[in-house]
Amino acid sequence: MSSERLQAPRGTYDVLPEDDEARGVVEAAARSILGGAGYRRIETPVFEHTELFARGVGQSTDIVQKEMYTFDDAGGRSLTLRPEGTAPIMRSYLEHGMHKLAQPVKLWYLGPFFRQEKPQAGRYRQFWQVGAEAIGSDDPAVDAELILLLHALVFELGVREVRLRLGSLGTPATREAYRDKLVAHLRANEDRLSEEVRGRIDLNPMRAFDADHPGTREVMQSAPLLLDELAPEDAEHFAEVRARLDAAGVEYEIDPTLVRGLDYYTRTLFEFTSDALGAQSGVGGGGRYDGLAEQVGGPHVPGCGWAAGIERLLLAADERRAPVEAVDLYVAGTGVEAFALAAEARRAGLAVQLELAGRSRKGMLKQADRIGARYVAILDEEGTQLKDMETGEQERLAPDAVVAHVIRGRHLA
Ligand code: HAM
């Protein structure tokens, strides 16, 4: 066997203790913003039946075609590490009969997701998302409120240079009719298109909107837009969403060519990007998915939601250090008396750290200073001395008086 030192798999990373604080800030902000709006936390399993994603996310998407971590279990069932959270949450809604609750059912989640993408800055194979889903209502206020909540989260975390793009896809039938129209437009102007776009006319005609090629750009200027083709009720729904965002003072750009890599979207579609990030500028996004429940075997249930990448939120946010945990007492001693004192102080509710490395007295005081301890209990042959690290005062106390003294000092602080 090789004795090479092993490393974490490509595209994964360790959340080190020093990174945990910033992530805690994201979680606390999500809990406060989403919890305050009546969203309740849900966590679904990290793996699901592969079929859930094949049917929910869509066979034609990059995610299902090439990015899923799929394996067979011992019983020969195909399982997949979840690449996203919306299909699992819809499964859970159906499985637990949540249609019997007051609608919409408002849920939020935070956890790891897995996609076998090419790793680069801001793109990982295991990444974390915070997300929100409101299932059971097609009211445009649901869409607008969800956008507002992600907007609040992004601003609470100090994400820099944020832009919000907004679009609407209408129904699958509208989309299909539009697609035919777009393909016809591209075919009619085929000789002016780049070779790449020409080769993908049938596969992915929407890609032509992103092309840099001058001829293609010219052709696309007169291309039909999906937003102009929406059925009246879908156009009305989109106008209602926009009216609410306007009323709330949220700035956005309408992007008629906005596309996202999941097949379940209908109607509203949105994406928050940060210009402070590089190529992977998508901080979070989502939309409405009124057909998803049926795709995974349920009745018609409308839904809307979003997810944001924790890594990208943090990369694009202002550095803000979370407060360091307070240490009330550092017990500078290694014997059983020291151990008993630490246990007693913890039972009394104090934050206590114990000397664990057999340092010299000088070393222990240095360590206490490093961790910002308020008091240090120095145990020696004659008993216990308590040092107040703020005033530098030191007094000898009976062992059973130490905890009361620290508690009193904490109240005075
Ligand atoms: P998504 O756009 O695929 O949507 O992912 C949401 C966010 O997750 C992205 O904006 C990005 O910040 C982050 N993300 C995605 N892939 C990676 C990666 N490989 N590395 C790091 N971050 C990544 C969804 O997943 C939908 N479920 C959102 C949704 C909820 N739509 C409706 N409800």
Side-chain angles (χ1 to χ4, degrees), residues 237-249:
H237 191 274
F238 191 44
E240 293 283 348
V241 173
R242 287 192 332 252
R244 280 164 182 76
L245 293 177
D246 294 338

Side-chain angles (χ1 to χ4, degrees), residues 162-167 238 250-256 258 269 271 273 275:
V162 179
R163 285 200 291 163
L164 165 58
R165 288 183 301 152
L166 190 63
F238 191 44
V250 173
E251 280 180 29
Y252 57 85
E253 301 156 33
I254 298 289
D255 183 347
L258 182 61
L269 199 65
E271 194 149 79
T273 54
D275 293 340

Side-chain angles (χ1 to χ4, degrees), residues 164-289:
L164 165 58
R165 288 183 301 152
L166 190 63
S168 178
L169 291 177
T171 61
T174 307
R175 246 171 12 241
E176 218 164 292
Y178 166 72
R179 191 193 151 93
D180 292 346
K181 220 167 155 174
L182 181 60
V183 169
H185 177 78
L186 292 171
R187 287 259 174 261
N189 295 284
E190 214 169 327
D191 50 337
R192 293 157 64 201
L193 299 176
S194 75
E195 216 176 293
E196 201 201 332
V197 169
R198 217 179 309 143
R200 299 178 61 101
I201 290 184
D202 288 311
L203 219 59
N204 196 343
M206 288 296 279
R207 280 270 165 89
F209 283 109
D210 299 331
D212 286 329
H213 177 257
T216 308
R217 290 179 71 95
E218 240 176 71
V219 171
M220 295 323 282
Q221 266 164 22
S222 58
L225 294 175
L226 177 54
L227 267 184
D228 299 329
E229 311 282 325
L230 296 183
E233 60 275 20
D234 295 335
E236 173 64 21
H237 191 274
F238 191 44
E240 293 283 348
V241 173
R242 287 192 332 252
R244 280 164 182 76
L245 293 177
D246 294 338
V250 173
E251 280 180 29
Y252 57 85
E253 301 156 33
I254 298 289
D255 183 347
T257 65
L258 182 61
V259 278
R260 293 179 36 75
L262 302 120
D263 269 358
Y264 48 60
Y265 292 118
T266 52
R267 293 187 161 175
T268 314
L269 199 65
F270 55 92
E271 194 149 79
F272 285 78
T273 54
S274 165
D275 293 340
L277 294 174
Q280 301 303 313
S281 63
V283 170
R288 178 161 281 287
Y289 43 86

Side-chain angles (χ1 to χ4, degrees), residues 44-222:
T44 60
V46 161
F47 56 85
E48 295 271 358
H49 291 131
T50 302
E51 217 183 320
L52 176 69
F53 301 113
R55 279 157 56 181
V57 173
Q59 288 287 3
S60 70
T61 59
D62 279 355
I63 294 181
V64 171
Q65 277 188 4
K66 50 185 192 204
E67 295 173 359
M68 298 205 301
Y69 285 97
T70 296
F71 57 97
D72 285 343
D73 70 5
R77 288 237 33 170
S78 179
L79 301 173
T80 290
L81 296 184
R82 58 181 188 182
E84 66 98 46
T86 311
I89 286 179
M90 185 56 92
R91 178 208 39 77
S92 181
Y93 174 97
L94 296 169
E95 191 168 327
H96 295 282
M98 292 190 214
H99 64 278
K100 292 187 217 117
L101 307 174
Q103 305 294 301
V105 175
K106 299 184 287 185
L107 303 165
W108 75 278
Y109 53 97
L110 190 157
F113 292 84
F114 308 85
R115 294 183 196 173
Q116 203 157 340
E117 294 188 84
K118 201 161 182 273
Q120 62 177 85
R123 191 158 77 192
Y124 306 91
R125 291 182 166 173
Q126 173 174 336
F127 56 97
W128 291 62
Q129 281 186 349
V130 54
E133 315 286 348
I135 304 180
S137 166
D138 63 4
D139 195 308
V142 171
D143 312 41
E145 186 181 60
L146 275 161
I147 293 171
L148 216 63
L149 292 170
L150 180 50
H151 187 266
L153 180 65
V154 158
F155 278 88
E156 170 69 24
L157 295 174
V159 175
R160 291 162 292 147
E161 300 174 56
V162 179
R163 285 200 291 163
L164 165 58
R165 288 183 301 152
L166 190 63
S168 178
L169 291 177
T171 61
T174 307
R175 246 171 12 241
E176 218 164 292
Y178 166 72
R179 191 193 151 93
D180 292 346
K181 220 167 155 174
L182 181 60
V183 169
H185 177 78
L186 292 171
R187 287 259 174 261
N189 295 284
E190 214 169 327
D191 50 337
R192 293 157 64 201
L193 299 176
S194 75
E195 216 176 293
E196 201 201 332
V197 169
R198 217 179 309 143
R200 299 178 61 101
I201 290 184
D202 288 311
L203 219 59
N204 196 343
M206 288 296 279
R207 280 270 165 89
F209 283 109
D210 299 331
D212 286 329
H213 177 257
T216 308
R217 290 179 71 95
E218 240 176 71
V219 171
M220 295 323 282
Q221 266 164 22
S222 58

Side-chain angles (χ1 to χ4, degrees), residues 326-338:
V327 179
D328 298 315
L329 177 66
Y330 183 76
V331 181
T334 53
V336 287
E337 294 83 6

